[in-house]
Amino acid sequence: MAQFALVIDLNTCVGCHACATNCKEWNTQAAFGPLSDFDPYGKEPQGVWYNRIMTYEMGEFPNTQVFHLPKSCLHCQDAPCVPVCPTGASYKREQDGIVLVNYDDCIGCKLCSWSCPYGCREFDEADKVMKKCTLCIDRIYDESLPPEHRKPACVLTCPAKARFFGDIEDPNSEVYRVIKERNGFVLFSDAGTNPGNHYLPRTETKVHVDEHLLKHDNPLFLEVLRRHHVGG
């Protein structure tokens, strides 16, 4: 069975939020565009975002790194949100593996959000229904769009080209290839959900810098020089 999904390269994602902003604009934009739906300029802005970027700092100063983890519905092959739905509003499509919510049948009980181990469901306070990433199903099957535009909004807008989209079960697809070649992994593999979305791991890169290119008036000159020599 086909399984459409996203593959996100954590090595090139720069956490710019362009994917989240374009997702918001395409799917759930509020009155003022890509902002939170409620109290957008207040201390606690709220609203539905299908795609969120979490940023972490790792290590101990000064040897720290910043790590960005974009996260949306993972379109699990064994989606736990589907069987718990009392009305059948949450369902998984056989033809492409996309998990969707039928808003007409959703009663807003939030059981699906409690069953999702990834916290990817969003309750729309305005419509009183659960919402989530649809992989922009309205774009990917829209034959009025050029073929190269039939992709999720987040993929189209990523300036770092960190996102891939396609059928991860198709050996001829780009997503299948990058998962195999670059050791793609899933979140919480022991949760038994078999997510469709995969991530490509970060890799450490050593860059050789000629000392004559370093600026001597840089206040961090000595630190840069030390790290250059020790390879840190």
Side-chain angles (χ1 to χ4, degrees):
M1 186 180 78
Q3 177 60 63
F4 284 13
L6 298 173
V7 177
I8 301 171
D9 187 350
L10 299 180
N11 207 43
T12 54
C13 174
V14 295
C16 68
H17 288 238
C19 56
T21 302
N22 204 31
C23 171
K24 180 72 173 173
E25 186 74 18
W26 180 260
N27 290 292
T28 66
Q29 63 177 308
F32 296 100
L35 295 172
S36 295
D37 304 311
F38 304 103
D39 196 22
Y41 298 104
K43 293 183 179 179
E44 297 181 356
Q46 299 179 8
V48 174
W49 292 76
Y50 292 176
N51 181 30
R52 295 180 183 269
I53 316 300
M54 294 175 288
T55 297
Y56 305 94
E57 185 171 331
M58 304 183 298
E60 294 185 6
F61 181 82
N63 299 315
T64 58
Q65 298 181 26
V66 174
F67 168 63
H68 306 289
L69 179 68
K71 194 177 70 173
S72 57
C73 172
L74 304 173
H75 298 280
C76 301
Q77 300 191 51
D78 299 305
C81 55
V82 172
V84 301
C85 180
T87 66
S90 289
Y91 64 101
K92 186 173 181 65
R93 289 163 49 98
E94 291 187 1
Q95 60 268 49
D96 51 29
I98 298 176
V99 177
L100 294 177
V101 180
N102 182 347
Y103 302 148
D104 291 335
D105 292 337
C106 179
I107 57 176
C109 67
K110 303 182 182 179
L111 282 175
C112 56
S113 65
W114 297 339
S115 70
C116 175
Y118 310 101
C120 291
R121 293 256 172 166
E122 301 262 341
F123 185 71
D124 190 320
E125 292 289 348
D127 295 338
K128 302 301 180 185
V129 296
M130 296 303 296
K131 294 185 176 180
K132 55 179 267 323
C133 164
T134 66
L135 286 178
C136 290
I137 194 169
D138 53 336
R139 288 191 63 94
I140 63 177
Y141 288 111
D142 186 350
E143 296 186 355
S144 68
L145 295 174
E148 64 272 21
H149 288 179
R150 297 175 197 169
K151 298 178 181 178
C154 60
V155 176
L156 291 171
T157 197
C158 179
K161 306 300 181 187
R163 288 174 170 258
F164 306 86
F165 167 73
D167 181 3
I168 63 169
E169 298 294 342
D170 179 4
N172 297 316
S173 70
E174 181 182 32
V175 287
Y176 181 94
R177 178 179 57 78
V178 296
I179 290 173
K180 296 296 182 183
E181 293 180 353
R182 300 181 56 187
N183 298 319
F185 68 95
V186 298
L187 296 181
F188 302 164
S189 59
D190 57 347
T193 60
N194 199 7
N197 285 9
H198 282 64
Y199 295 88
L200 303 180
R202 286 158 50 96
T203 57
E204 188 171 352
T205 303
K206 299 291 186 183
V207 179
H208 176 74
V209 180
D210 290 333
E211 292 184 16
H212 73 278
L213 295 177
L214 299 178
K215 294 183 177 179
H216 290 254
D217 58 347
N218 184 345
L220 297 177
F221 173 76
L222 293 178
E223 172 63 17
V224 173
L225 198 61
R226 183 191 66 78
R227 297 190 63 176
H228 173 62
H229 281 299
V230 301

